[in-house]
Amino acid sequence: MSYSFDASSVIHLWDNYPIENSHFKSLWDSFTEKFKNKKFSISDIAWQEVNDKIPDFQKKVTALNPEEKTNDDLFSVKDMKDKLEIQEENYHPKGVGENDLFIIVIAKRNHHILVSEEAMQSNLPTEKSKYKIPAVSQEIAKIECINIKILLNKKIL
């Protein structure tokens, strides 16, 4: 199995398992190695979000090669927006945004499980535009979405 990371999961790792702490060296070594071996990936959009929130991330974690969006991804995002009943740029503040859709589309294109820290919605809203990343991933894109805790519990990371 391969996994694609949303920025929220990388930021969660950074905040909760500090790279400077020697106790987490093996975790960060594994994280980096899995990117080198293409078991893990991150979209260029999520990568930019991580670097915007953690300016020295790129200096300390250098093995990541972000996946760039393609022209086909633009069409896939448009299709998802239609399914979510999002008109033009009128994203609902309680739902996914355009960056989220690209992150999902890139994970789907690569046949990856998406790793995101966004909360699962136990009761899906009737307005599809209020769907968050896990709901869009599973209900619309038809890909699995898990969080970092699951990766750690399964000893994948």
Side-chain angles (χ1 to χ4, degrees), residues 52-99:
D52 288 347
K53 298 242 178 180
I54 309 168
D56 43 319
F57 183 82
Q58 194 170 4
K59 293 176 202 163
K60 296 188 178 185
V61 183
T62 58
L64 313 181
N65 293 313
E67 295 271 342
E68 292 187 19
K69 62 184 172 212
T70 66
N71 287 335
D72 287 342
D73 294 337
L74 295 170
F75 295 110
S76 296
V77 165
K78 168 75 171 95
D79 183 51
M80 254 193 229
K81 282 175 64 174
D82 291 344
K83 289 177 181 172
L84 292 167
E85 301 167 1
I86 297 169
Q87 303 296 317
E88 297 181 23
E89 301 305 310
N90 295 321
Y91 291 93
H92 197 286
K94 292 186 178 181
V96 291
E98 189 163 298
N99 283 356

mmCIF file of all heavy atoms in Angstrom, residues 52-99:
data_model
loop_
_atom_site.group_PDB
_atom_site.id
_atom_site.type_symbol
_atom_site.label_atom_id
_atom_site.label_comp_id
_atom_site.label_asym_id
_atom_site.label_seq_id
_atom_site.Cartn_x
_atom_site.Cartn_y
_atom_site.Cartn_z
ATOM 1 N N ASP A 52 4.417 26.689 4.380
ATOM 2 C CA ASP A 52 3.871 27.968 4.841
ATOM 3 C C ASP A 52 3.707 27.988 6.362
ATOM 4 O O ASP A 52 3.910 29.016 7.000
ATOM 5 C CB ASP A 52 2.514 28.248 4.177
ATOM 6 C CG ASP A 52 2.644 28.603 2.709
ATOM 7 O OD1 ASP A 52 3.774 28.874 2.234
ATOM 8 O OD2 ASP A 52 1.604 28.597 2.010
ATOM 9 N N LYS A 53 3.350 26.830 6.941
ATOM 10 C CA LYS A 53 3.121 26.757 8.395
ATOM 11 C C LYS A 53 4.398 26.461 9.177
ATOM 12 O O LYS A 53 4.526 26.826 10.332
ATOM 13 C CB LYS A 53 2.091 25.671 8.699
ATOM 14 C CG LYS A 53 0.749 25.940 8.091
ATOM 15 C CD LYS A 53 -0.304 26.079 9.122
ATOM 16 C CE LYS A 53 -1.548 26.373 8.404
ATOM 17 N NZ LYS A 53 -2.703 26.577 8.666
ATOM 18 N N ILE A 54 5.328 25.733 8.539
ATOM 19 C CA ILE A 54 6.574 25.329 9.211
ATOM 20 C C ILE A 54 7.749 25.726 8.311
ATOM 21 O O ILE A 54 8.230 24.927 7.516
ATOM 22 C CB ILE A 54 6.613 23.810 9.460
ATOM 23 C CG1 ILE A 54 5.336 23.315 10.142
ATOM 24 C CG2 ILE A 54 7.842 23.444 10.291
ATOM 25 C CD1 ILE A 54 5.200 21.810 10.160
ATOM 26 N N PRO A 55 8.207 26.968 8.439
ATOM 27 C CA PRO A 55 9.247 27.463 7.526
ATOM 28 C C PRO A 55 10.522 26.627 7.463
ATOM 29 O O PRO A 55 11.110 26.494 6.406
ATOM 30 C CB PRO A 55 9.545 28.870 8.047
ATOM 31 C CG PRO A 55 8.308 29.268 8.781
ATOM 32 C CD PRO A 55 7.742 27.996 9.352
ATOM 33 N N ASP A 56 10.961 26.002 8.573
ATOM 34 C CA ASP A 56 12.200 25.234 8.488
ATOM 35 C C ASP A 56 11.974 23.747 8.213
ATOM 36 O O ASP A 56 12.914 22.963 8.237
ATOM 37 C CB ASP A 56 13.119 25.434 9.698
ATOM 38 C CG ASP A 56 12.419 25.435 11.025
ATOM 39 O OD1 ASP A 56 11.341 26.016 11.117
ATOM 40 O OD2 ASP A 56 12.983 24.873 11.983
ATOM 41 N N PHE A 57 10.754 23.347 7.881
ATOM 42 C CA PHE A 57 10.477 21.946 7.570
ATOM 43 C C PHE A 57 11.339 21.463 6.402
ATOM 44 O O PHE A 57 11.967 20.418 6.470
ATOM 45 C CB PHE A 57 8.990 21.742 7.247
ATOM 46 C CG PHE A 57 8.633 20.314 6.998
ATOM 47 C CD1 PHE A 57 8.383 19.459 8.054
ATOM 48 C CD2 PHE A 57 8.564 19.810 5.709
ATOM 49 C CE1 PHE A 57 8.071 18.127 7.842
ATOM 50 C CE2 PHE A 57 8.255 18.481 5.482
ATOM 51 C CZ PHE A 57 8.006 17.632 6.552
ATOM 52 N N GLN A 58 11.359 22.248 5.341
ATOM 53 C CA GLN A 58 12.082 21.863 4.123
ATOM 54 C C GLN A 58 13.578 21.705 4.389
ATOM 55 O O GLN A 58 14.228 20.885 3.754
ATOM 56 C CB GLN A 58 11.824 22.889 3.030
ATOM 57 C CG GLN A 58 12.227 22.423 1.671
ATOM 58 C CD GLN A 58 11.730 23.352 0.590
ATOM 59 O OE1 GLN A 58 11.131 24.391 0.857
ATOM 60 N NE2 GLN A 58 11.968 22.989 -0.649
ATOM 61 N N LYS A 59 14.115 22.454 5.335
ATOM 62 C CA LYS A 59 15.541 22.344 5.656
ATOM 63 C C LYS A 59 15.840 21.040 6.392
ATOM 64 O O LYS A 59 16.914 20.472 6.245
ATOM 65 C CB LYS A 59 15.982 23.518 6.538
ATOM 66 C CG LYS A 59 15.940 24.852 5.867
ATOM 67 C CD LYS A 59 16.312 25.944 6.859
ATOM 68 C CE LYS A 59 15.767 27.264 6.387
ATOM 69 N NZ LYS A 59 15.737 28.262 7.444
ATOM 70 N N LYS A 60 14.869 20.568 7.194
ATOM 71 C CA LYS A 60 15.117 19.404 8.048
ATOM 72 C C LYS A 60 14.618 18.094 7.442
ATOM 73 O O LYS A 60 15.098 17.028 7.804
ATOM 74 C CB LYS A 60 14.486 19.633 9.413
ATOM 75 C CG LYS A 60 15.137 20.802 10.124
ATOM 76 C CD LYS A 60 14.694 20.942 11.528
ATOM 77 C CE LYS A 60 15.448 22.113 12.151
ATOM 78 N NZ LYS A 60 15.188 22.291 13.538
ATOM 79 N N VAL A 61 13.640 18.164 6.560
ATOM 80 C CA VAL A 61 13.101 16.957 5.913
ATOM 81 C C VAL A 61 13.219 17.188 4.409
ATOM 82 O O VAL A 61 12.378 17.822 3.797
ATOM 83 C CB VAL A 61 11.636 16.699 6.319
ATOM 84 C CG1 VAL A 61 11.127 15.415 5.707
ATOM 85 C CG2 VAL A 61 11.488 16.663 7.833
ATOM 86 N N THR A 62 14.282 16.654 3.829
ATOM 87 C CA THR A 62 14.607 17.007 2.446
ATOM 88 C C THR A 62 14.288 15.940 1.409
ATOM 89 O O THR A 62 14.403 16.179 0.229
ATOM 90 C CB THR A 62 16.106 17.347 2.329
ATOM 91 O OG1 THR A 62 16.847 16.215 2.767
ATOM 92 C CG2 THR A 62 16.457 18.567 3.148
ATOM 93 N N ALA A 63 13.887 14.761 1.821
ATOM 94 C CA ALA A 63 13.721 13.658 0.865
ATOM 95 C C ALA A 63 12.387 13.680 0.116
ATOM 96 O O ALA A 63 12.157 12.854 -0.744
ATOM 97 C CB ALA A 63 13.861 12.324 1.586
ATOM 98 N N LEU A 64 11.513 14.591 0.451
ATOM 99 C CA LEU A 64 10.194 14.610 -0.165
ATOM 100 C C LEU A 64 10.254 15.224 -1.561
ATOM 101 O O LEU A 64 10.822 16.285 -1.754
ATOM 102 C CB LEU A 64 9.215 15.420 0.692
ATOM 103 C CG LEU A 64 9.206 15.122 2.190
ATOM 104 C CD1 LEU A 64 8.165 15.983 2.876
ATOM 105 C CD2 LEU A 64 8.960 13.675 2.461
ATOM 106 N N ASN A 65 9.674 14.536 -2.521
ATOM 107 C CA ASN A 65 9.556 15.058 -3.875
ATOM 108 C C ASN A 65 8.080 15.227 -4.175
ATOM 109 O O ASN A 65 7.412 14.254 -4.520
ATOM 110 C CB ASN A 65 10.195 14.102 -4.894
ATOM 111 C CG ASN A 65 11.693 14.037 -4.720
ATOM 112 O OD1 ASN A 65 12.343 15.060 -4.594
ATOM 113 N ND2 ASN A 65 12.230 12.838 -4.695
ATOM 114 N N PRO A 66 7.573 16.439 -4.037
ATOM 115 C CA PRO A 66 6.129 16.641 -4.187
ATOM 116 C C PRO A 66 5.605 16.267 -5.573
ATOM 117 O O PRO A 66 6.282 16.452 -6.583
ATOM 118 C CB PRO A 66 5.955 18.140 -3.943
ATOM 119 C CG PRO A 66 7.192 18.585 -3.258
ATOM 120 C CD PRO A 66 8.286 17.662 -3.695
ATOM 121 N N GLU A 67 4.399 15.720 -5.575
ATOM 122 C CA GLU A 67 3.692 15.365 -6.807
ATOM 123 C C GLU A 67 3.036 16.625 -7.366
ATOM 124 O O GLU A 67 2.269 17.276 -6.657
ATOM 125 C CB GLU A 67 2.584 14.349 -6.508
ATOM 126 C CG GLU A 67 3.073 13.026 -6.024
ATOM 127 C CD GLU A 67 3.352 12.081 -7.165
ATOM 128 O OE1 GLU A 67 2.863 12.308 -8.286
ATOM 129 O OE2 GLU A 67 4.073 11.109 -6.917
ATOM 130 N N GLU A 68 3.316 16.938 -8.595
ATOM 131 C CA GLU A 68 2.712 18.119 -9.210
ATOM 132 C C GLU A 68 1.358 17.778 -9.811
ATOM 133 O O GLU A 68 1.144 16.659 -10.281
ATOM 134 C CB GLU A 68 3.642 18.674 -10.287
ATOM 135 C CG GLU A 68 4.913 19.247 -9.698
ATOM 136 C CD GLU A 68 5.768 19.945 -10.739
ATOM 137 O OE1 GLU A 68 5.256 20.297 -11.814
ATOM 138 O OE2 GLU A 68 6.952 20.141 -10.446
ATOM 139 N N LYS A 69 0.479 18.767 -9.783
ATOM 140 C CA LYS A 69 -0.831 18.537 -10.400
ATOM 141 C C LYS A 69 -0.672 18.554 -11.918
ATOM 142 O O LYS A 69 0.232 19.182 -12.465
ATOM 143 C CB LYS A 69 -1.849 19.564 -9.915
ATOM 144 C CG LYS A 69 -1.549 20.990 -10.241
ATOM 145 C CD LYS A 69 -2.586 21.913 -9.613
ATOM 146 C CE LYS A 69 -2.148 23.339 -9.803
ATOM 147 N NZ LYS A 69 -2.542 24.217 -8.762
ATOM 148 N N THR A 70 -1.580 17.845 -12.580
ATOM 149 C CA THR A 70 -1.557 17.741 -14.034
ATOM 150 C C THR A 70 -2.808 18.389 -14.613
ATOM 151 O O THR A 70 -3.752 18.724 -13.871
ATOM 152 C CB THR A 70 -1.533 16.263 -14.471
ATOM 153 O OG1 THR A 70 -2.780 15.658 -14.091
ATOM 154 C CG2 THR A 70 -0.363 15.511 -13.846
ATOM 155 N N ASN A 71 -2.842 18.523 -15.926
ATOM 156 C CA ASN A 71 -4.046 19.056 -16.576
ATOM 157 C C ASN A 71 -5.249 18.154 -16.319
ATOM 158 O O ASN A 71 -6.362 18.637 -16.137
ATOM 159 C CB ASN A 71 -3.815 19.229 -18.082
ATOM 160 C CG ASN A 71 -2.910 20.398 -18.380
ATOM 161 O OD1 ASN A 71 -2.804 21.346 -17.603
ATOM 162 N ND2 ASN A 71 -2.218 20.341 -19.505
ATOM 163 N N ASP A 72 -5.013 16.843 -16.312
ATOM 164 C CA ASP A 72 -6.115 15.916 -16.026
ATOM 165 C C ASP A 72 -6.674 16.133 -14.626
ATOM 166 O O ASP A 72 -7.865 15.952 -14.391
ATOM 167 C CB ASP A 72 -5.653 14.463 -16.187
ATOM 168 C CG ASP A 72 -5.462 14.074 -17.643
ATOM 169 O OD1 ASP A 72 -5.990 14.775 -18.542
ATOM 170 O OD2 ASP A 72 -4.769 13.068 -17.885
ATOM 171 N N ASP A 73 -5.800 16.509 -13.694
ATOM 172 C CA ASP A 73 -6.261 16.779 -12.330
ATOM 173 C C ASP A 73 -7.258 17.947 -12.310
ATOM 174 O O ASP A 73 -8.203 17.937 -11.524
ATOM 175 C CB ASP A 73 -5.086 17.096 -11.409
ATOM 176 C CG ASP A 73 -4.163 15.905 -11.202
ATOM 177 O OD1 ASP A 73 -4.613 14.753 -11.391
ATOM 178 O OD2 ASP A 73 -2.986 16.139 -10.852
ATOM 179 N N LEU A 74 -7.033 18.931 -13.180
ATOM 180 C CA LEU A 74 -7.969 20.065 -13.260
ATOM 181 C C LEU A 74 -9.366 19.581 -13.619
ATOM 182 O O LEU A 74 -10.363 20.022 -13.031
ATOM 183 C CB LEU A 74 -7.486 21.091 -14.294
ATOM 184 C CG LEU A 74 -6.186 21.810 -14.009
ATOM 185 C CD1 LEU A 74 -5.737 22.597 -15.234
ATOM 186 C CD2 LEU A 74 -6.330 22.730 -12.821
ATOM 187 N N PHE A 75 -9.445 18.661 -14.573
ATOM 188 C CA PHE A 75 -10.746 18.114 -14.978
ATOM 189 C C PHE A 75 -11.359 17.279 -13.862
ATOM 190 O O PHE A 75 -12.570 17.319 -13.643
ATOM 191 C CB PHE A 75 -10.613 17.301 -16.270
ATOM 192 C CG PHE A 75 -10.225 18.136 -17.452
ATOM 193 C CD1 PHE A 75 -8.967 18.017 -18.008
ATOM 194 C CD2 PHE A 75 -11.113 19.066 -17.995
ATOM 195 C CE1 PHE A 75 -8.595 18.807 -19.095
ATOM 196 C CE2 PHE A 75 -10.752 19.849 -19.072
ATOM 197 C CZ PHE A 75 -9.492 19.723 -19.631
ATOM 198 N N SER A 76 -10.531 16.539 -13.154
ATOM 199 C CA SER A 76 -11.030 15.722 -12.044
ATOM 200 C C SER A 76 -11.570 16.594 -10.919
ATOM 201 O O SER A 76 -12.590 16.273 -10.313
ATOM 202 C CB SER A 76 -9.932 14.804 -11.517
ATOM 203 O OG SER A 76 -9.538 13.891 -12.512
ATOM 204 N N VAL A 77 -10.886 17.697 -10.634
ATOM 205 C CA VAL A 77 -11.369 18.631 -9.609
ATOM 206 C C VAL A 77 -12.702 19.233 -10.046
ATOM 207 O O VAL A 77 -13.633 19.319 -9.246
ATOM 208 C CB VAL A 77 -10.319 19.724 -9.297
ATOM 209 C CG1 VAL A 77 -10.935 20.885 -8.527
ATOM 210 C CG2 VAL A 77 -9.154 19.127 -8.523
ATOM 211 N N LYS A 78 -12.804 19.594 -11.307
ATOM 212 C CA LYS A 78 -14.062 20.148 -11.824
ATOM 213 C C LYS A 78 -15.195 19.139 -11.662
ATOM 214 O O LYS A 78 -16.300 19.474 -11.218
ATOM 215 C CB LYS A 78 -13.878 20.541 -13.301
ATOM 216 C CG LYS A 78 -15.144 20.852 -14.063
ATOM 217 C CD LYS A 78 -15.725 22.200 -13.694
ATOM 218 C CE LYS A 78 -16.858 22.613 -14.604
ATOM 219 N NZ LYS A 78 -18.184 22.279 -14.108
ATOM 220 N N ASP A 79 -14.913 17.881 -11.985
ATOM 221 C CA ASP A 79 -15.906 16.821 -11.833
ATOM 222 C C ASP A 79 -16.329 16.670 -10.372
ATOM 223 O O ASP A 79 -17.512 16.533 -10.063
ATOM 224 C CB ASP A 79 -15.331 15.511 -12.379
ATOM 225 C CG ASP A 79 -16.333 14.381 -12.327
ATOM 226 O OD1 ASP A 79 -17.471 14.565 -12.818
ATOM 227 O OD2 ASP A 79 -15.993 13.307 -11.789
ATOM 228 N N MET A 80 -15.369 16.714 -9.465
ATOM 229 C CA MET A 80 -15.681 16.607 -8.034
ATOM 230 C C MET A 80 -16.509 17.785 -7.555
ATOM 231 O O MET A 80 -17.437 17.611 -6.769
ATOM 232 C CB MET A 80 -14.394 16.509 -7.223
ATOM 233 C CG MET A 80 -14.161 15.137 -6.710
ATOM 234 S SD MET A 80 -12.877 15.157 -5.477
ATOM 235 C CE MET A 80 -11.925 13.831 -6.147
ATOM 236 N N LYS A 81 -16.145 18.980 -8.024
ATOM 237 C CA LYS A 81 -16.924 20.163 -7.655
ATOM 238 C C LYS A 81 -18.380 20.000 -8.089
ATOM 239 O O LYS A 81 -19.296 20.336 -7.339
ATOM 240 C CB LYS A 81 -16.323 21.430 -8.283
ATOM 241 C CG LYS A 81 -15.104 21.942 -7.568
ATOM 242 C CD LYS A 81 -14.470 23.115 -8.287
ATOM 243 C CE LYS A 81 -15.350 24.318 -8.344
ATOM 244 N NZ LYS A 81 -14.676 25.497 -8.914
ATOM 245 N N ASP A 82 -18.580 19.470 -9.288
ATOM 246 C CA ASP A 82 -19.944 19.233 -9.774
ATOM 247 C C ASP A 82 -20.679 18.252 -8.865
ATOM 248 O O ASP A 82 -21.835 18.477 -8.500
ATOM 249 C CB ASP A 82 -19.935 18.709 -11.214
ATOM 250 C CG ASP A 82 -19.482 19.756 -12.220
ATOM 251 O OD1 ASP A 82 -19.465 20.966 -11.878
ATOM 252 O OD2 ASP A 82 -19.121 19.359 -13.356
ATOM 253 N N LYS A 83 -20.013 17.174 -8.492
ATOM 254 C CA LYS A 83 -20.634 16.168 -7.621
ATOM 255 C C LYS A 83 -20.936 16.729 -6.237
ATOM 256 O O LYS A 83 -21.877 16.290 -5.576
ATOM 257 C CB LYS A 83 -19.744 14.935 -7.514
ATOM 258 C CG LYS A 83 -19.705 14.132 -8.800
ATOM 259 C CD LYS A 83 -18.758 12.964 -8.701
ATOM 260 C CE LYS A 83 -18.760 12.209 -10.034
ATOM 261 N NZ LYS A 83 -17.730 11.172 -10.085
ATOM 262 N N LEU A 84 -20.131 17.682 -5.792
ATOM 263 C CA LEU A 84 -20.334 18.323 -4.495
ATOM 264 C C LEU A 84 -21.281 19.525 -4.576
ATOM 265 O O LEU A 84 -21.544 20.172 -3.571
ATOM 266 C CB LEU A 84 -18.994 18.767 -3.901
ATOM 267 C CG LEU A 84 -18.055 17.645 -3.494
ATOM 268 C CD1 LEU A 84 -16.651 18.189 -3.227
ATOM 269 C CD2 LEU A 84 -18.597 16.920 -2.273
ATOM 270 N N GLU A 85 -21.725 19.796 -5.787
ATOM 271 C CA GLU A 85 -22.644 20.915 -6.048
ATOM 272 C C GLU A 85 -22.033 22.257 -5.635
ATOM 273 O O GLU A 85 -22.693 23.125 -5.086
ATOM 274 C CB GLU A 85 -23.988 20.663 -5.356
ATOM 275 C CG GLU A 85 -24.638 19.372 -5.836
ATOM 276 C CD GLU A 85 -25.802 18.892 -4.989
ATOM 277 O OE1 GLU A 85 -26.170 19.563 -3.994
ATOM 278 O OE2 GLU A 85 -26.342 17.821 -5.323
ATOM 279 N N ILE A 86 -20.737 22.402 -5.936
ATOM 280 C CA ILE A 86 -20.020 23.656 -5.672
ATOM 281 C C ILE A 86 -20.001 24.442 -6.972
ATOM 282 O O ILE A 86 -19.505 23.966 -7.989
ATOM 283 C CB ILE A 86 -18.582 23.392 -5.177
ATOM 284 C CG1 ILE A 86 -18.613 22.644 -3.846
ATOM 285 C CG2 ILE A 86 -17.797 24.688 -5.058
ATOM 286 C CD1 ILE A 86 -17.267 22.104 -3.390
ATOM 287 N N GLN A 87 -20.563 25.627 -6.931
ATOM 288 C CA GLN A 87 -20.632 26.485 -8.107
ATOM 289 C C GLN A 87 -19.444 27.441 -8.133
ATOM 290 O O GLN A 87 -19.200 28.154 -7.154
ATOM 291 C CB GLN A 87 -21.937 27.303 -8.099
ATOM 292 C CG GLN A 87 -23.196 26.460 -8.040
ATOM 293 C CD GLN A 87 -23.360 25.581 -9.264
ATOM 294 O OE1 GLN A 87 -23.136 26.026 -10.382
ATOM 295 N NE2 GLN A 87 -23.729 24.333 -9.050
ATOM 296 N N GLU A 88 -18.721 27.427 -9.235
ATOM 297 C CA GLU A 88 -17.555 28.300 -9.443
ATOM 298 C C GLU A 88 -16.609 28.239 -8.252
ATOM 299 O O GLU A 88 -16.117 27.185 -7.924
ATOM 300 C CB GLU A 88 -18.007 29.714 -9.795
ATOM 301 C CG GLU A 88 -18.793 29.740 -11.108
ATOM 302 C CD GLU A 88 -19.248 31.117 -11.510
ATOM 303 O OE1 GLU A 88 -18.640 32.098 -11.063
ATOM 304 O OE2 GLU A 88 -20.207 31.187 -12.287
ATOM 305 N N GLU A 89 -16.366 29.344 -7.584
ATOM 306 C CA GLU A 89 -15.445 29.374 -6.438
ATOM 307 C C GLU A 89 -16.193 29.511 -5.120
ATOM 308 O O GLU A 89 -15.620 29.933 -4.115
ATOM 309 C CB GLU A 89 -14.437 30.529 -6.600
ATOM 310 C CG GLU A 89 -13.595 30.446 -7.862
ATOM 311 C CD GLU A 89 -12.844 29.129 -7.987
ATOM 312 O OE1 GLU A 89 -12.176 28.725 -7.017
ATOM 313 O OE2 GLU A 89 -12.934 28.498 -9.060
ATOM 314 N N ASN A 90 -17.454 29.135 -5.100
ATOM 315 C CA ASN A 90 -18.281 29.279 -3.899
ATOM 316 C C ASN A 90 -18.172 28.052 -3.001
ATOM 317 O O ASN A 90 -19.145 27.331 -2.787
ATOM 318 C CB ASN A 90 -19.746 29.535 -4.297
ATOM 319 C CG ASN A 90 -19.905 30.847 -5.015
ATOM 320 O OD1 ASN A 90 -19.259 31.831 -4.659
ATOM 321 N ND2 ASN A 90 -20.738 30.866 -6.034
ATOM 322 N N TYR A 91 -16.981 27.835 -2.463
ATOM 323 C CA TYR A 91 -16.762 26.725 -1.542
ATOM 324 C C TYR A 91 -17.405 27.071 -0.207
ATOM 325 O O TYR A 91 -17.327 28.205 0.249
ATOM 326 C CB TYR A 91 -15.259 26.484 -1.347
ATOM 327 C CG TYR A 91 -14.594 25.932 -2.584
ATOM 328 C CD1 TYR A 91 -13.995 26.772 -3.519
ATOM 329 C CD2 TYR A 91 -14.572 24.569 -2.817
ATOM 330 C CE1 TYR A 91 -13.391 26.265 -4.650
ATOM 331 C CE2 TYR A 91 -13.970 24.044 -3.955
ATOM 332 C CZ TYR A 91 -13.391 24.899 -4.863
ATOM 333 O OH TYR A 91 -12.805 24.389 -5.979
ATOM 334 N N HIS A 92 -18.023 26.075 0.424
ATOM 335 C CA HIS A 92 -18.646 26.299 1.728
ATOM 336 C C HIS A 92 -17.552 26.383 2.790
ATOM 337 O O HIS A 92 -16.630 25.555 2.791
ATOM 338 C CB HIS A 92 -19.625 25.175 2.052
ATOM 339 C CG HIS A 92 -20.578 25.530 3.134
ATOM 340 N ND1 HIS A 92 -20.205 25.590 4.452
ATOM 341 C CD2 HIS A 92 -21.883 25.881 3.076
ATOM 342 C CE1 HIS A 92 -21.240 25.944 5.176
ATOM 343 N NE2 HIS A 92 -22.278 26.130 4.371
ATOM 344 N N PRO A 93 -17.623 27.352 3.711
ATOM 345 C CA PRO A 93 -16.580 27.477 4.737
ATOM 346 C C PRO A 93 -16.457 26.252 5.644
ATOM 347 O O PRO A 93 -15.424 26.035 6.265
ATOM 348 C CB PRO A 93 -16.975 28.717 5.536
ATOM 349 C CG PRO A 93 -18.341 29.091 5.100
ATOM 350 C CD PRO A 93 -18.640 28.399 3.812
ATOM 351 N N LYS A 94 -17.503 25.422 5.715
ATOM 352 C CA LYS A 94 -17.457 24.220 6.558
ATOM 353 C C LYS A 94 -17.091 22.964 5.759
ATOM 354 O O LYS A 94 -17.099 21.864 6.297
ATOM 355 C CB LYS A 94 -18.794 24.006 7.252
ATOM 356 C CG LYS A 94 -19.099 25.070 8.280
ATOM 357 C CD LYS A 94 -20.352 24.754 9.042
ATOM 358 C CE LYS A 94 -20.563 25.831 10.089
ATOM 359 N NZ LYS A 94 -21.752 25.589 10.895
ATOM 360 N N GLY A 95 -16.783 23.140 4.478
ATOM 361 C CA GLY A 95 -16.455 21.987 3.632
ATOM 362 C C GLY A 95 -15.051 22.086 3.080
ATOM 363 O O GLY A 95 -14.219 22.864 3.556
ATOM 364 N N VAL A 96 -14.793 21.285 2.050
ATOM 365 C CA VAL A 96 -13.471 21.286 1.422
ATOM 366 C C VAL A 96 -13.262 22.556 0.604
ATOM 367 O O VAL A 96 -14.218 23.189 0.159
ATOM 368 C CB VAL A 96 -13.285 20.072 0.482
ATOM 369 C CG1 VAL A 96 -13.198 18.787 1.259
ATOM 370 C CG2 VAL A 96 -14.340 20.013 -0.589
ATOM 371 N N GLY A 97 -12.013 22.882 0.417
ATOM 372 C CA GLY A 97 -11.632 23.973 -0.465
ATOM 373 C C GLY A 97 -10.981 23.400 -1.712
ATOM 374 O O GLY A 97 -10.801 22.184 -1.843
ATOM 375 N N GLU A 98 -10.590 24.256 -2.610
ATOM 376 C CA GLU A 98 -9.989 23.802 -3.862
ATOM 377 C C GLU A 98 -8.690 23.040 -3.631
ATOM 378 O O GLU A 98 -8.443 22.012 -4.272
ATOM 379 C CB GLU A 98 -9.758 24.981 -4.810
ATOM 380 C CG GLU A 98 -9.339 24.524 -6.187
ATOM 381 C CD GLU A 98 -9.493 25.599 -7.234
ATOM 382 O OE1 GLU A 98 -10.634 26.039 -7.469
ATOM 383 O OE2 GLU A 98 -8.457 25.979 -7.801
ATOM 384 N N ASN A 99 -7.839 23.518 -2.716
ATOM 385 C CA ASN A 99 -6.590 22.800 -2.429
ATOM 386 C C ASN A 99 -6.883 21.377 -1.958
ATOM 387 O O ASN A 99 -6.199 20.438 -2.357
ATOM 388 C CB ASN A 99 -5.767 23.537 -1.373
ATOM 389 C CG ASN A 99 -5.039 24.738 -1.926
ATOM 390 O OD1 ASN A 99 -5.065 25.012 -3.127
ATOM 391 N ND2 ASN A 99 -4.389 25.473 -1.059
#
